[in-house]
Amino acid sequence: MSVLLADLRAGRPLVQCLTNSVVTNFTANALLALGAAPAMTDIVGEAGPFAQIADGVLINLGTPTPEQRAAMIEAATACKATGTPWILDPVAVGALPIRTALAAELLELGPTVVRGNASEVIALCGGAGGRGTDSTVQPEDALDAARTLVIRHGVGAVAISGETDLIVGPDGVWTVPHGHPYLTLVTGGGCALGAVIAAFAAVAQDAQEAAVAGSVAWEVAAELAASEAAGPGSFAVGLLDRLHGLSPQLLRDRSAVTSLEVAQA
């Protein structure tokens, strides 16, 4: 993780974001604070060509307008052709029909990482969805669905967000016991994480490693920001500051990531 952060800062990967209109500014600022270069290129005719030059791509289904839906397919198709790592954030799938159908189509284009809450991950495999962006189940309840995405659909890793995040890949399951409840009170607290993972995927050789590193970096920064914040407003500003101030040594010292199998032994 710490090595990947150093590589990210040195390489400043270009991350294309096709994301929802509610979180565009916060997501771009999060990438800048981390040390990546954001590009919100999400229109038909540009999304595909840009994906061919980007180092990583985020596709977030939060507000999928007709043009953006077509641009997402265009970008994901380009990523598949060039091998560019891309992250699928299936926001509110299962509960809403248009984005659910779009997510199924995008899944066939081979996302590197799927990042979502437990209900969204389950819904992506055909199960019942949650309550909009709110999960109605716990990350542990989505482990079977996540394994299905990895084994049957070829997804490199699945990052299931919750009080303790679970990162599922072909090599097992890792727990990320970091973060803070303030993340649920800030617009973009989860969506921006998808962009952060995309930045790490741009410099990592392994999808699960990228998902773990992105989750730890984002949530350790959240813990540090929350310790100084008076509430969600100052937390949001502090989160960007703390993300910017993360060092490889700090990330190494604070990380409490473990293997789920080891934790249960």
Side-chain angles (χ1 to χ4, degrees):
M1 289 176 292
S2 57
V3 172
L4 285 183
L5 178 59
D7 290 345
L8 190 156
R9 295 269 170 78
R12 198 167 181 260
L14 177 62
V15 180
Q16 178 184 7
C17 298
L18 297 88
T19 192
N20 73 77
S21 58
V22 181
V23 303
T24 302
N25 184 70
F26 189 71
T27 298
N29 284 338
L31 286 171
L32 288 169
L34 180 66
M40 285 23 205
T41 309
D42 64 351
I43 64 173
V44 175
E46 292 186 354
F50 200 91
Q52 293 177 347
I53 63 172
D55 298 307
V57 175
L58 167 67
I59 296 180
N60 174 298
L61 308 189
T63 55
T65 63
E67 181 173 26
Q68 195 183 53
R69 295 198 299 272
M72 289 174 175
I73 296 297
E74 183 181 297
T77 300
C79 288
K80 183 176 182 179
T82 60
T84 303
W86 68 282
I87 281 60
L88 173 62
D89 192 335
V91 179
V93 299
L96 298 167
I98 292 175
R99 72 191 63 218
T100 300
L102 175 61
E105 188 174 357
L106 288 166
L107 184 60
E108 294 304 311
L109 293 171
T112 307
V113 177
V114 168
R115 190 225 71 87
N117 64 40
S119 290
E120 290 164 347
V121 171
I122 291 171
L124 199 56
C125 286
R131 191 183 64 175
T133 58
D134 294 333
S135 181
T136 56
V137 293
Q138 299 303 310
E140 292 80 3
D141 298 319
L143 279 174
D144 286 344
R147 291 188 180 104
T148 296
L149 292 173
V150 171
I151 295 169
R152 296 185 186 175
H153 294 276
V155 175
V158 180
I160 313 170
S161 295
E163 185 173 343
T164 294
D165 288 2
L166 299 179
I167 313 297
V168 182
D171 297 326
V173 181
W174 294 87
T175 66
V176 181
H178 294 290
H180 191 275
Y182 279 159
L183 280 170
T184 65
L185 301 178
V186 173
T187 299
C191 294
L193 171 57
V196 168
I197 293 174
F200 276 98
V203 297
Q205 297 298 316
D206 178 79
Q208 189 168 8
E209 183 183 27
V212 171
S215 297
V216 173
W218 183 246
E219 293 171 16
V220 165
E223 289 177 342
L224 294 170
S227 69
E228 304 167 339
S234 54
F235 167 76
V237 175
L239 177 56
L240 297 178
D241 289 343
R242 283 298 193 168
L243 194 64
H244 178 71
L246 275 183
S247 68
Q249 183 64 49
L250 179 59
L251 203 59
R252 186 183 306 115
D253 291 345
R254 290 191 65 95
S255 173
V257 173
T258 59
S259 164
L260 184 63
E261 287 77 10
V262 171
Q264 292 177 339

